Amino acid sequence: MHHPALRARLAQVSIPAMVVWGENDGIVDADYGRRYADSIPGACFELVSEAAHFPQIERLDEVVRLIGDFTGRL
């Protein structure tokens, strides 16, 4: 799941970005998600409690709220 060029490519993102991660992700842990977000200039990181690898399915209402909050700040 590691791609050597990913970090450099993420650094080129020039639009507002939010990384949403499941707190209980058993495939890729939250620290990886934080590093992912840290690689995108100005990105924010949101950890969704009571969600695993698919927070957009497991906690849809919370993810929709996070997206609304994020877009409302733009």
Side-chain angles (χ1 to χ4, degrees):
M1 293 177 54
H2 174 73
H3 189 288
L6 179 60
R7 187 169 207 147
R9 292 180 70 191
L10 292 174
Q12 296 174 1
V13 173
S14 61
I15 60 172
M18 175 177 62
V19 175
V20 177
W21 217 265
E23 179 180 46
N24 301 315
D25 191 326
I27 298 173
V28 185
D29 67 22
D31 287 338
Y32 184 89
R34 284 186 188 91
R35 289 191 306 272
Y36 195 99
D38 288 344
S39 298
I40 302 170
C44 66
F45 177 80
E46 296 291 346
L47 192 62
V48 180
S49 65
E50 300 177 24
H53 193 66
F54 298 105
Q56 73 279 12
I57 295 170
E58 301 158 345
R59 298 285 315 278
L60 177 60
D61 289 345
E62 176 66 6
V63 172
V64 168
R65 184 190 67 76
L66 290 169
I67 293 169
D69 291 351
F70 176 73
T71 58
R73 292 190 301 265
L74 297 179

